[in-house]
Amino acid sequence: MKDRLGRTIEYMRVSVTDRCNLRCVYCMPEEGVPRVSHGDILTFDEITRICRIGSDVGISRIKLTGGEPLVRRGLSSLLGMIKELPGIEQVTLTTNGLLLEENINALVSNGLDAVNISIDTLDAGRYEELTRGGSLRKALEGMEAALLFSNLKVRINCVLMRDVPADNYVSIARLSENRNVDVRFIEMMPIGQGRDFGVVSGGEIYDVLKREFGEASGCEGKFGNGPAVYVRFPDFRGKTGFIDAMSHQFCGTCNRIRLTSEGCLKPCLQYAGGTDLRKLLRSGADDEHIRREICRTIYEKPACHQFSDCASAHTDVWNDERKTGCHQERGQIYETKDMSQIGG
Ligand code: SAM
Ligand code: SF4
């Protein structure tokens, strides 16, 4: 369905847990976040029900995320349950990759269409520091295991950080030189711990990569569910993408909503609150009631985030009405949770 600004909302990111086996410095505090009890997390049946009702109103693509989605036992069976729903065309996963090798067969058998693996550095020591204890080897083994499936789209997500040397990003980009993998560079967003980090723009890294690999060609067409802009460097097998949430605000074409692991439907990453679908589910609401609440949440989706000064964040696609809507978001309360709690 379309929201009040005419944006088509067709993509839902579903967080299956707020727990994680890593503590990435920009995502989680070292001590972790207060644990949500099992009873407060949506069951697989509840998640599937929301996806089914969502598909009735036009949600056709689902991303499973977290926290670390693979720490939730039986994730592949949830994936299968969602994939079987009429109207759901694609189910994908975002993971840190540590548990991917042991899960990939079951995930692919149950219909996984694509996997995004988060790897910010190929330096094992720096990886351990950034993730506070993670094993780069396990993440890379996860990636290689995923690449054995020729029909599975594999992408690497890399968040850009100021005090990491630029050649770090050259080596990450090289992952797509000889592999059938796309690498995406993501600008740090001021969510949770990410507020303490400066922004390195995708443009800065693009310049570094051009100096190293030569002029890239633009890639036409739609790849993935989001706002990444892709190029291909000469002789590279895979594409290189840039998700410039800070330097190029793309809210005007936003197509997504988010479901937290506790069942809160959030229309925008930045604002607190959302619609408590768990309460409805557990108080016996019928499908029609839940459908109405999903539609209302989508319809009222904020015009834009306020990560940077809204007034200077116009994109070409924004018309005057949208700009006005953008200013009206001021005064809303911002989300204070970490990315792992919202479902990144
Ligand atoms: N644990 C899984 C993983 O790391 O891929 C899924 C959840 S994680 C929150 C999803 C993505 O959000 C990761 O690629 C992570 O790097 C990214 N992320 C976390 N905090 C961020 C921030 N403040 N700005 C931009 N991306 C962020
Ligand atoms: Fe965990 Fe992913 Fe956050 Fe890292 S980015 S702490 S792996 S949820």
Side-chain angles (χ1 to χ4, degrees):
M1 71 170 273
K2 289 190 190 303
D3 72 1
R4 70 196 158 101
L5 297 172
R7 295 171 294 190
T8 301
I9 309 302
E10 59 199 353
Y11 174 47
M12 182 159 71
R13 295 179 72 97
V14 175
S15 174
V16 297
T17 179
D18 60 332
R19 297 184 184 188
C20 188
N21 47 358
L22 294 181
R23 296 280 180 275
C24 299
V25 289
Y26 53 80
C27 181
M28 268 207 191
E30 192 161 8
E31 66 281 10
V33 292
R35 286 190 159 198
V36 177
S37 73
H38 281 298
D40 287 338
I41 298 282
L42 294 188
T43 64
F44 286 177
D45 284 338
E46 288 171 331
I47 293 173
T48 307
R49 185 172 174 208
I50 292 172
C51 291
R52 175 174 56 73
I53 300 171
S55 79
D56 286 347
V57 303
I59 299 294
S60 57
R61 284 168 287 157
I62 301 288
K63 165 88 73 200
L64 299 177
T65 182
E68 172 48 44
L70 290 174
V71 302
R72 180 137 180 202
R73 208 167 302 148
L75 186 80
S76 56
S77 55
L78 171 67
L79 191 145
M81 287 158 78
I82 298 174
K83 193 67 199 273
E84 277 177 11
L85 296 171
I88 298 296
E89 294 163 10
Q90 207 184 63
V91 185
T92 61
L93 172 73
T94 292
T95 170
N96 59 35
L98 298 197
L99 299 172
L100 192 55
E101 190 182 19
E102 63 206 73
N103 282 290
I104 193 72
N105 283 326
L107 290 164
V108 173
S109 324
N110 284 355
L112 182 67
D113 292 292
V115 60
N116 294 352
I117 307 167
S118 302
I119 301 179
D120 296 330
T121 178
L122 292 182
D123 176 314
R126 187 178 293 133
Y127 183 91
E128 201 177 325
E129 263 172 47
L130 289 176
T131 59
R132 298 199 182 95
S135 158
L136 175 66
R137 183 179 55 78
K138 288 297 296 170
L140 291 175
E141 284 170 0
M143 176 188 75
E144 297 296 352
L147 282 169
L148 295 176
F149 294 86
S150 54
N151 289 337
L152 181 68
K153 185 72 215 149
V154 181
R155 304 186 190 95
I156 301 299
N157 281 349
C158 171
V159 176
L160 297 170
M161 271 168 278
R162 177 62 65 198
D163 41 8
V164 169
D167 64 3
N168 185 72
Y169 301 117
V170 172
S171 41
I172 290 276
R174 278 196 195 283
L175 287 173
S176 62
E177 194 170 12
N178 300 309
R179 291 178 184 82
N180 189 17
V181 64
D182 294 341
V183 170
R184 291 124 50 96
F185 293 103
I186 302 174
E187 289 180 356
M188 181 78 70
M189 292 181 281
I191 298 282
Q193 310 294 305
R195 287 197 188 87
D196 300 337
F197 290 78
V199 176
V200 178
S201 73
E204 284 175 65
I205 296 306
Y206 185 32
D207 288 341
V208 170
L209 299 183
K210 273 196 295 192
R211 280 198 291 278
E212 184 72 22
F213 302 125
E215 206 58 51
S217 50
C219 298
E220 299 285 328
K222 177 117 184 68
F223 308 102
N225 292 316
V229 172
Y230 286 94
V231 298
R232 195 186 299 271
F233 286 102
D235 301 326
F236 267 51
R237 194 159 164 212
K239 298 185 288 296
T240 306
F242 296 89
I243 303 181
D244 296 347
M246 302 300 294
S247 60
H248 293 93
Q249 193 181 51
F250 33 68
C251 305
T253 53
C254 187
N255 62 353
R256 64 190 57 191
I257 51 176
R258 289 165 199 269
L259 181 66
T260 71
S261 57
E262 293 175 90
C264 177
L265 190 66
K266 291 179 75 68
C268 178
L269 191 56
Q270 195 183 19
Y271 303 104
T275 303
D276 186 352
L277 294 183
R278 184 185 65 192
K279 194 165 153 197
L280 289 178
L281 290 167
R282 295 186 182 178
S283 62
D286 63 13
D287 285 1
E288 179 51 27
H289 188 171
I290 294 168
R291 193 184 69 83
R292 272 200 312 274
E293 284 303 301
I294 294 176
C295 288
R296 185 186 55 73
T297 311
I298 290 177
Y299 188 76
E300 292 172 1
K301 182 175 163 70
C304 64
H305 66 63
Q306 308 280 342
F307 288 156
S308 47
D309 179 10
C310 199
S312 62
H314 305 149
T315 64
D316 294 339
V317 295
W318 282 70
N319 57 29
D320 285 344
E321 184 196 352
R322 283 176 172 148
K323 282 178 198 164
T324 310
C326 191
H327 291 292
Q328 283 167 356
E329 305 311 336
R330 291 215 162 122
Q332 282 210 33
I333 298 166
Y334 292 157
E335 183 58 83
T336 53
K337 289 183 171 158
D338 286 311
M339 200 72 139
S340 61
Q341 294 169 294
I342 306 167

